Amino acid sequence: MAQLISKNLFNLPLLGVVSEEIGELEAKMMAEMTEKEEEEFTAMMVAMEGDDDNAFLESMRSMTDSATKSMMCHSVFTHAAENTVVTEITVPTTHDGNYDVHVFVHTPKSLEGKSGRAAYVYAHGGGAIASCAVDSKPWMNHYAVSWDVVCFNVEYRLAPETKCPNNAKDFYETIKYIHTNASSLGVDPNKICIAGDSGGGYICLSAMVLLAQRDETALVKLAIPGIPMVTDYCFSDPANMTQEESENAPTMRRIWKLIAADLETQRSDPLLFPGKASDELLAKFPPTIIRESEFDMYITEATRLATRLRRVGRLLELVVVPGAKHGSCLMPDLGCFAQYIDIMKTIVNEYLEK
């Protein structure tokens, strides 16, 4: 494949410290906790540190659910919902039984009835073990309106109920379905972007591996894995890690064990750990923009993957949001949220629409 040429649009100066407003918001949230909420939070922390995988999973799902729902009613999302039409499609699959993947389609009212629209196919976060597409609806509405795209919000199956690689195959099959049915869906098959955040970033990357393995990269114009889970770095020596990485490594080790069908036999499988894809496979990846936050818990593994992709000519940009932590750019009360929306608008205009 031809060597990609970056437009170098996002050489953002890093802060070296966590943004002050993020620290203030975290302190405010802790101070405003009720006694009951404090007890529930403590119970979740105990469960997450215990040996019971079921209790750990329940706590992860409860915590993710609470964090998402606390932001869903923000006025910025209410406004977006008023200007978006949400419909549903189902994608039939057979790779893990007969299963229909549900996909919410978020269309800006300004684009209703038009053809040739850009498509943004998204995998939600939650470590691939928690959260759901339903809870991502407010963000998808806002993205659709802000970026003038049709968002396809994919309800891929979660681990541990569905193991690697079948969760990523749900997303992969959705990509193929959208490309095949682009005309009836009113989108341009040459303007399909795939993306995801955190665990959804992993799902996106794993789907990119599948596309590369099957020589189907041309189905996608652009891939944007954001703050992505990339590899088994969390199993390495914590002394080599950043503070955020070492603090979250125990949790990440448990998450990967829940995702894997058999962790030890899949250690070298790029469908489980996309960061282990060979250079030959990476050279077949779609044009890629990796989005990160300066103090994200995946910053090292994501940066390493970006370096490898740049070397094989498949990286367009590595965007690191200054001063931000994991998930900060999804919080509408923070300045980095608006910064992220602007960054993505530029990406859509410069790399997807052109």
Side-chain angles (χ1 to χ4, degrees):
M1 290 186 178
Q3 185 93 4
L4 297 174
I5 299 176
S6 173
K7 297 181 182 181
N8 294 309
L9 301 174
F10 305 106
N11 297 312
L12 305 173
L14 302 181
L15 300 182
V17 294
V18 175
S19 169
E20 187 174 322
E21 67 168 349
I22 293 175
E24 291 175 351
L25 180 60
E26 290 176 341
K28 180 173 180 287
M29 291 169 64
M30 292 299 293
E32 291 179 351
M33 269 190 182
T34 64
E35 185 175 336
K36 181 181 179 182
E37 287 172 335
E38 284 186 15
E39 291 175 356
E40 291 174 346
F41 181 76
T42 301
M44 282 193 291
M45 292 297 101
V46 171
M48 288 179 66
E49 294 172 2
D51 296 328
D52 188 333
D53 282 344
N54 288 328
F56 170 80
L57 181 63
E58 183 179 343
S59 295
M60 281 294 297
R61 289 178 173 176
S62 178
M63 189 183 328
T64 304
D65 185 62
S66 296
T68 303
K69 283 182 168 50
S70 68
M71 295 180 278
M72 289 175 69
C73 296
H74 195 283
S75 59
V76 71
F77 297 139
T78 303
H79 173 76
E82 293 170 352
N83 292 280
T84 311
V85 175
V86 181
T87 55
E88 266 187 82
I89 60 173
T90 55
V91 177
T93 69
T94 57
H95 56 267
D96 186 26
N98 293 316
Y99 182 79
D100 290 340
V101 180
H102 289 267
V103 183
F104 297 103
V105 184
H106 303 252
T107 305
K109 290 182 178 179
S110 61
L111 296 182
E112 265 196 295
K114 296 182 179 180
S115 60
R117 303 168 299 185
Y120 182 81
V121 189
Y122 182 78
H124 66 78
I129 65 169
S131 196
C132 60
V134 172
D135 286 350
S136 293
K137 280 184 171 183
W139 283 266
M140 294 300 100
N141 287 335
H142 187 60
Y143 296 169
V145 171
S146 298
W147 308 333
D148 292 319
V149 297
V150 178
C151 290
F152 293 84
N153 180 13
V154 183
E155 193 75 273
Y156 63 89
R157 284 172 284 183
L158 301 176
E161 292 84 358
T162 298
K163 295 287 191 174
C164 170
N166 290 319
N167 38 27
K169 285 184 176 179
D170 286 351
F171 192 66
Y172 161 81
E173 292 292 347
T174 302
I175 296 166
K176 292 192 68 176
Y177 180 91
I178 292 169
H179 188 275
T180 300
N181 297 280
S183 179
S184 62
L185 293 170
V187 299
D188 186 338
N190 298 310
K191 293 182 180 179
I192 295 176
C193 170
I194 61 174
D197 286 314
S198 191
Y202 151 69
I203 294 294
C204 178
L205 281 169
S206 189
M208 292 161 66
V209 171
L210 283 165
L211 290 168
Q213 288 175 335
R214 300 178 184 190
D215 292 318
E216 295 174 325
T217 297
L219 297 180
V220 172
K221 183 174 184 180
L222 180 64
I224 314 176
I227 50 174
M229 295 161 44
V230 179
T231 192
D232 57 353
Y233 178 66
C234 60
F235 290 89
S236 66
D237 186 350
N240 291 323
M241 299 178 183
T242 67
Q243 177 183 331
E244 291 75 22
E245 291 167 346
S246 62
E247 287 176 350
N248 287 281
T251 297
M252 286 310 306
R253 290 195 288 269
R254 297 188 72 169
I255 288 174
W256 282 121
K257 289 175 182 177
L258 290 172
I259 294 172
D262 185 318
L263 183 63
E264 293 312 313
T265 60
Q266 290 179 297
R267 278 282 188 180
S268 300
D269 188 347
L271 291 174
L272 178 62
F273 296 123
K276 295 190 178 186
S278 66
D279 285 351
E280 290 75 18
L281 203 57
L282 292 179
K284 295 181 179 181
F285 267 29
T288 303
I289 294 174
I290 293 180
R291 180 183 59 78
E292 259 296 352
S293 294
E294 185 175 359
F295 294 95
D296 184 41
M297 54 192 171
Y298 308 128
I299 185 69
T300 298
E301 52 198 273
T303 302
R304 286 176 175 175
L305 178 60
T307 299
R308 294 185 63 207
L309 285 168
R310 184 182 294 112
R311 186 167 186 173
V312 297
R314 305 314 292 163
L315 185 76
L316 289 172
E317 303 270 359
L318 169 62
V319 186
V320 181
V321 179
K325 298 174 69 174
H326 189 77
S328 299
C329 294
L330 303 177
M331 304 175 74
D333 283 327
L334 294 175
C336 58
F337 175 82
Q339 184 180 25
Y340 165 61
I341 296 300
D342 288 343
I343 286 170
M344 284 297 301
K345 178 66 174 177
T346 300
I347 288 172
V348 168
N349 288 342
E350 293 295 328
Y351 288 115
L352 184 60
E353 291 286 6
K354 289 186 178 179

